[in-house]
Amino acid sequence: MRVLIVEDEPDLLGSLLQALREDGYAADSAEDGEEGLYKAESYEYDAILLDVMLPGIDGWEVLSKLRKTKKTPVLILTARDAVRDRVKGLDTGADDYVVKPFDIDEVLARLRALIRRSASEAQPRLAIGEVLIDMAARTVTLRGEVVTLTAREYGLLEFLALHRGKLVTRTMLYEHLFDENDNTLSNLLDVHVSNLRKKLGHDFITTRRGHGYSIDPAL
Ligand code: CA
């Protein structure tokens, strides 16, 4: 999953980027409203973390402009727990919000819930054949045995699983699994797919030659 963080406080931005990448997200950043809006409109993010108080145009304006063209889930980071802000956020099209100072684990949990909701997946646990994916704990088991995945393998598996039954093109995977600084890793896609097959069974992921990959929901 690829996430954009729009935040002008360097320390906070740094910790959010680190936490997201450790959890296997591809994470891009923007430090002001214009750059945030530009990236949000230009790329297919799975979610956006949007600070309210930003230099240039503020978070509300970024959100209302973005909503004219895109429905990307937005989690607002606000410094004030005021009812007015909450109402304004929801009216402007925010999907959820957290109040600063926040616990990063809470941000991560809300982010996971947002991404699940936008994939119409209310439950955090997903069973496909003998594979069970727990998207809240970010753990995977095969026939009840824990399977150890790298953060990137997990990200790939989750994306394919949330789109099960559909063709996931290589372009979609490049757009959703790799961040703006990640170009050198993009040619490793085949390696990650091959590693997942070794761990979960060769038939778990189907290759649609020349097009991409899919997971059969009827496995
Ligand atoms: Ca700020």
Short mmCIF file of all heavy atoms in Angstrom, two decimals, residues 6-9 12 51-55 77 100, ligand 1:
data_model
loop_
_atom_site.label_atom_id
_atom_site.label_comp_id
_atom_site.label_asym_id
_atom_site.label_seq_id
_atom_site.Cartn_x
_atom_site.Cartn_y
_atom_site.Cartn_z
N VAL A 6 1.48 14.37 4.37
CA VAL A 6 1.65 15.81 4.18
C VAL A 6 1.80 16.41 5.57
O VAL A 6 0.84 16.48 6.34
CB VAL A 6 0.45 16.44 3.44
CG1 VAL A 6 0.77 17.88 3.06
CG2 VAL A 6 0.08 15.63 2.20
N GLU A 7 3.01 16.80 5.92
CA GLU A 7 3.31 17.24 7.29
C GLU A 7 4.55 18.12 7.24
O GLU A 7 5.56 17.75 6.64
CB GLU A 7 3.56 15.99 8.17
CG GLU A 7 4.11 16.26 9.55
CD GLU A 7 3.18 17.12 10.38
OE1 GLU A 7 2.08 16.68 10.71
OE2 GLU A 7 3.57 18.28 10.70
N ASP A 8 4.47 19.31 7.88
CA ASP A 8 5.61 20.24 7.79
C ASP A 8 6.56 20.17 8.97
O ASP A 8 7.60 20.82 8.95
CB ASP A 8 5.10 21.68 7.61
CG ASP A 8 4.25 22.13 8.79
OD1 ASP A 8 3.40 21.35 9.24
OD2 ASP A 8 4.44 23.27 9.25
N GLU A 9 6.21 19.40 10.02
CA GLU A 9 7.16 19.27 11.13
C GLU A 9 8.12 18.13 10.82
O GLU A 9 7.71 16.97 10.79
CB GLU A 9 6.40 18.98 12.44
CG GLU A 9 5.61 20.16 12.96
CD GLU A 9 4.57 19.74 13.99
OE1 GLU A 9 4.93 19.00 14.92
OE2 GLU A 9 3.41 20.13 13.83
N LEU A 12 8.27 14.93 13.16
CA LEU A 12 7.05 14.12 13.08
C LEU A 12 6.98 13.41 11.73
O LEU A 12 6.68 12.21 11.66
CB LEU A 12 5.83 15.02 13.29
CG LEU A 12 4.47 14.32 13.29
CD1 LEU A 12 4.45 13.19 14.31
CD2 LEU A 12 3.36 15.33 13.58
N ASP A 51 -1.85 16.83 7.49
CA ASP A 51 -1.80 17.79 8.58
C ASP A 51 -2.68 18.99 8.23
O ASP A 51 -2.83 19.32 7.05
CB ASP A 51 -0.33 18.23 8.76
CG ASP A 51 -0.14 19.19 9.92
OD1 ASP A 51 -0.92 19.12 10.89
OD2 ASP A 51 0.80 20.00 9.85
N VAL A 52 -3.28 19.63 9.24
CA VAL A 52 -4.15 20.78 8.97
C VAL A 52 -3.34 22.06 8.80
O VAL A 52 -3.47 22.78 7.81
CB VAL A 52 -5.20 20.96 10.09
CG1 VAL A 52 -5.96 22.26 9.89
CG2 VAL A 52 -6.16 19.79 10.10
N MET A 53 -2.47 22.36 9.78
CA MET A 53 -1.72 23.61 9.75
C MET A 53 -0.46 23.42 8.90
O MET A 53 0.51 22.81 9.35
CB MET A 53 -1.32 24.03 11.17
CG MET A 53 -2.50 24.22 12.10
SD MET A 53 -3.57 25.60 11.60
CE MET A 53 -2.55 26.96 12.16
N LEU A 54 -0.52 23.93 7.68
CA LEU A 54 0.60 23.77 6.75
C LEU A 54 0.97 25.13 6.18
O LEU A 54 0.11 26.00 6.05
CB LEU A 54 0.18 22.87 5.58
CG LEU A 54 -0.07 21.39 5.85
CD1 LEU A 54 -0.80 20.77 4.67
CD2 LEU A 54 1.25 20.66 6.11
N PRO A 55 2.25 25.31 5.81
CA PRO A 55 2.60 26.56 5.12
C PRO A 55 1.94 26.59 3.74
O PRO A 55 1.69 25.54 3.16
CB PRO A 55 4.12 26.47 5.00
CG PRO A 55 4.50 25.07 5.27
CD PRO A 55 3.38 24.41 6.01
N LEU A 77 -4.60 14.99 10.45
CA LEU A 77 -3.80 15.13 11.67
C LEU A 77 -4.04 16.54 12.19
O LEU A 77 -3.61 17.51 11.57
CB LEU A 77 -2.30 14.94 11.36
CG LEU A 77 -1.90 13.74 10.50
CD1 LEU A 77 -0.41 13.78 10.18
CD2 LEU A 77 -2.25 12.43 11.21
N LYS A 100 -3.24 15.60 17.61
CA LYS A 100 -1.85 15.67 18.08
C LYS A 100 -1.84 16.11 19.55
O LYS A 100 -2.67 16.93 19.92
CB LYS A 100 -1.07 16.68 17.26
CG LYS A 100 -0.88 16.31 15.82
CD LYS A 100 -0.09 17.45 15.15
CE LYS A 100 0.16 17.15 13.68
NZ LYS A 100 0.90 18.24 13.03
CA CA B 1 1.78 21.64 10.83
#
